[in-house]
Amino acid sequence: GFSSPYRLLRDVATKAAVNILQDKPEVVISLVDVFDDVNDPYIQQRLYAVVHGCVMKGYCCQSERLGHLVYEKVFNVASLRTDILLRDYARCVIDFIGQHVTLESIDLTKIEPPYHVSFSFDDCPDRATVEGKYRLDSTMGFSDDVIYTQNKILGSMETEYSKGVGEYGDFGRYTFESALRRWDDCEGYSASQLRNYALQLIFDKYQFDAKVYVHHDKYFMASRGNRPVMERFGKKYQWMAMYEILGLMQDNYAMESG
């Protein structure tokens, strides 16, 4: 259920896993070993949410092995993952275990943000590039449903002024752009450019394929102000991109206080 766009299933699966595993640190250790590097950031994020819940609620907080494993998997690595929630779950796991047992050979400075994964606003492609690369039309030989499934992501990610006044997507303006407000005073900041970077992540890094998800996504539409229990798979990829960009912003730009 951790990879599902069905939010209720995802949340219930997370809570159930915590309730079952909170006093079974050896099983949690095995799960981290098996699923830490699965190629779905949604699963990775919820894996560490489960670890966090188990540590906060049960005997897992006394597992020195679990604390060391999370440290080695998440922080003592050459290339740190940028999902801001995953990193925070992992940091809290180590910190809370460290309050119950002694964690030898862990450099606590490595678990505290910022984590110095390099990113600059200059890394963002321009609008013409992403529109030309990712927007589909009928001349390309795709079905109307595939075109809708892909272009829905581009439209949903529109920020307040990325396409002109009043032509924003609800996710782009009210979720994505709102999450970035604390950085909007940074020199070079542009929500529109970050929207372009998010699209690059969705289609190039995460490799969203509209042909794979078309038979699901064409049926799910949310009305304004309503986040449905069942979301598009495309929306799942939008959330993944947002959490990655938030991590990159945390690492490279100071948040506005207050």
Side-chain angles (χ1 to χ4, degrees):
F2 292 173
S3 67
S4 174
Y6 183 20
R7 292 190 300 114
L8 180 59
L9 171 62
R10 198 163 179 251
D11 291 344
V12 168
T14 302
K15 294 172 184 176
V18 171
N19 288 334
I20 293 169
L21 301 174
Q22 62 188 28
D23 295 325
K24 299 178 174 65
E26 295 305 313
V27 179
V28 175
I29 287 168
S30 296
L31 288 175
V32 172
D33 267 331
V34 172
F35 291 106
D36 170 79
D37 61 353
V38 68
N39 65 345
D40 185 337
Y42 234 38
I43 295 176
Q44 292 183 17
Q45 185 191 94
R46 280 300 169 110
L47 170 67
Y48 283 97
V50 168
V51 178
H52 178 270
C54 290
V55 166
M56 294 295 167
K57 290 189 66 177
Y59 295 138
C60 287
C61 67
Q62 300 176 23
S63 175
E64 182 180 348
R65 281 188 62 209
L66 180 58
H68 277 100
L69 180 64
V70 172
Y71 174 73
E72 293 297 329
K73 293 287 189 181
V74 178
F75 298 108
N76 196 29
V77 292
S79 181
L80 195 71
R81 281 168 282 193
T82 51
D83 183 318
I84 195 169
L85 290 185
L86 184 154
R87 300 193 306 191
D88 198 51
Y89 293 143
R91 178 185 63 82
C92 291
V93 163
I94 295 168
D95 180 71
F96 198 68
I97 291 176
Q99 296 177 38
H100 293 81
V101 297
T102 301
L103 293 175
E104 302 286 354
S105 306
I106 285 183
D107 181 356
L108 293 179
T109 64
K110 282 190 174 184
I111 75 169
E112 295 297 330
Y115 301 106
H116 309 296
V117 178
S118 179
F119 173 75
S120 163
F121 295 127
D122 292 335
D123 296 330
C124 299
D126 60 27
R127 182 177 181 84
T129 297
V130 297
E131 290 292 318
K133 189 173 183 181
Y134 307 126
R135 187 171 293 280
L136 304 183
D137 62 49
S138 58
T139 66
M140 299 175 178
F142 296 107
S143 70
D144 290 344
D145 289 337
V146 169
I147 292 170
Y148 167 82
T149 298
Q150 176 127 335
N151 292 352
K152 179 64 177 176
I153 294 175
L154 277 73
S156 180
M157 288 300 302
E158 296 284 8
T159 57
E160 186 169 9
Y161 299 115
S162 60
K163 194 180 178 182
V165 178
E167 294 192 63
Y168 53 81
D170 282 359
F171 184 92
R173 180 181 180 185
Y174 297 116
T175 301
F176 181 73
E177 190 169 359
S178 292
L180 293 163
R181 290 291 187 198
R182 289 292 184 88
W183 288 281
D184 63 9
D185 286 337
C186 295
E187 183 177 354
Y189 172 86
S190 166
S192 301
Q193 291 295 89
L194 290 170
R195 173 257 186 187
N196 298 338
Y197 190 77
L199 293 174
Q200 182 174 275
L201 292 175
I202 290 167
F203 293 111
D204 290 354
K205 181 175 180 179
Y206 308 146
Q207 298 186 328
F208 178 87
D209 186 344
K211 297 187 297 297
V212 172
Y213 299 115
V214 59
H215 297 297
H216 176 280
D217 282 15
K218 69 179 181 178
Y219 292 114
F220 292 94
M221 300 182 222
S223 59
R224 174 162 293 182
N226 173 39
R227 185 182 173 193
V229 171
M230 176 67 80
E231 295 185 321
R232 294 175 290 110
F233 274 98
K235 182 68 70 66
K236 163 186 169 176
Y237 282 71
Q238 291 171 224
W239 286 108
M240 284 158 43
M242 187 185 80
Y243 290 129
E244 174 158 352
I245 288 171
L246 288 172
L248 291 170
M249 294 297 292
Q250 179 189 56
D251 284 355
N252 292 277
Y253 296 96
M255 294 177 66
E256 178 185 345
S257 61

